[in-house]
Amino acid sequence: MYYNFEYINLTDTIVSQAVPLLKPGGILVYSTCTITLAENEGIVQWALKEFPQLKLDKQVPHLGGPGMLGTSLSNEQLELLQRFDPLMGNPTNNIDGCHRDTICFFIAKFIKAV
């Protein structure tokens, strides 16, 4: 499995700069055009640990599948994520299927505690 760790490090930096700018009750939307676990659920897991004032929030509309297994995120947290990929609905499948002719992306919505 291929992970672009340069993107993960860049994402950590961007999120680290954005969170302090949020007012209490402010919303941060994290979205990628990849379905890799490290760049999606891994970043969400990291952000929730690094910034305890962030919580995942319900997304409306919610059309995507749940987040993938493989991190310490709870089932409830995985259900708050949206994952659009050819394997949607089966988060335990091999993610290499995304390289087929399809759109792959991920959305997480955080809210900063008041």
Side-chain angles (χ1 to χ4, degrees), residues 19-27 111-113:
V19 171
L21 300 175
L22 288 174
K23 293 190 270 186
I27 294 171
I111 190 164
K112 190 173 183 179

Side-chain angles (χ1 to χ4, degrees), residues 9-58:
N9 292 333
L10 178 59
T11 301
D12 290 356
T13 301
I14 292 169
V15 171
S16 293
Q17 296 297 310
V19 171
L21 300 175
L22 288 174
K23 293 190 270 186
I27 294 171
L28 173 66
V29 175
Y30 175 69
S31 183
T32 69
C33 59
T34 180
I35 61 165
T36 63
L37 184 67
E39 289 180 80
N40 293 321
E41 290 84 356
I43 292 293
V44 170
Q45 174 185 292
W46 168 83
L48 292 172
K49 182 179 177 186
E50 187 73 20
F51 303 99
Q53 67 272 37
L54 290 181
K55 304 292 180 221
L56 287 172
D57 196 23
K58 184 176 180 181

Side-chain angles (χ1 to χ4, degrees), residues 24-99:
I27 294 171
L28 173 66
V29 175
Y30 175 69
S31 183
T32 69
C33 59
T34 180
I35 61 165
T36 63
L37 184 67
E39 289 180 80
N40 293 321
E41 290 84 356
I43 292 293
V44 170
Q45 174 185 292
W46 168 83
L48 292 172
K49 182 179 177 186
E50 187 73 20
F51 303 99
Q53 67 272 37
L54 290 181
K55 304 292 180 221
L56 287 172
D57 196 23
K58 184 176 180 181
Q59 300 176 47
V60 178
H62 196 282
L63 305 172
M68 270 179 39
L69 300 173
T71 65
S72 65
L73 295 175
S74 69
N75 286 336
E76 293 80 17
Q77 289 171 318
L78 293 174
E79 289 295 327
L80 291 171
L81 304 174
Q82 292 198 74
R83 182 175 269 282
F84 298 83
D85 63 61
L87 308 172
M88 196 165 78
N90 188 350
T92 60
N93 276 337
N94 181 333
I95 64 172
D96 288 338
C98 185
H99 299 291

